Amino acid sequence: MEQEVFDVNNTCIQLVMVLKLQKLTKNEIPTLRYENLEDYLTYGLWKKGCPKSLHEAINQVLSVKAQDIVRFMARDAIVRGRSRDLSEFTDLIGGN
């Protein structure tokens, strides 16, 4: 069975996401991208349960904290890095 997720293509949600992104990039995470926020909402926050209504989804987006996104991105990087070969990281750690 496919996992149900909230529609992040809803224009109201997109507007709220852009507003939240602007706040987060201005105050806490200057390098955060829209895709990072979208991934956190889709695969982190709403993975366990989809909001039942638009206002619930909007409240959840507005309640997102920088530390939650950073924690999610760190976990995601660990999981993705686990399946890669060490040689793929030479540009990050140096090497010939």
Side-chain angles (χ1 to χ4, degrees), residues 68-92:
D68 298 331
I69 295 174
V70 171
R71 191 176 302 120
F72 169 79
M73 290 174 65
R75 232 179 302 140
D76 185 52
I78 290 168
V79 169
R80 284 187 292 128
R82 198 178 296 161
S83 63
R84 296 173 73 184
D85 188 66
L86 187 59
S87 64
E88 295 180 55
F89 297 99
T90 55
D91 59 326
L92 297 174

Side-chain angles (χ1 to χ4, degrees), residues 2-68:
E2 191 172 316
Q3 173 183 329
E4 181 184 7
V5 293
F6 197 82
D7 181 16
V8 291
N9 294 319
N10 178 304
T11 54
C12 292
I13 293 298
Q14 289 176 335
L15 174 62
V16 173
M17 288 172 62
V18 167
L19 293 172
K20 185 63 178 186
L21 180 66
Q22 288 177 342
K23 181 180 179 188
L24 288 169
T25 56
K26 181 181 178 189
N27 298 328
E28 300 176 80
I29 313 174
T31 58
L32 187 67
R33 295 187 341 245
Y34 183 88
E35 295 80 19
N36 301 133
L37 178 58
E38 185 175 6
D39 287 347
Y40 169 70
L41 293 171
T42 304
Y43 304 113
L45 184 63
W46 295 335
K47 182 179 179 180
K48 295 179 182 168
C50 187
K52 304 283 187 251
S53 64
L54 180 60
H55 77 272
E56 183 180 346
I58 289 171
N59 285 339
Q60 289 178 351
V61 172
L62 292 175
S63 298
V64 168
K65 295 183 176 109
Q67 63 196 23
D68 298 331

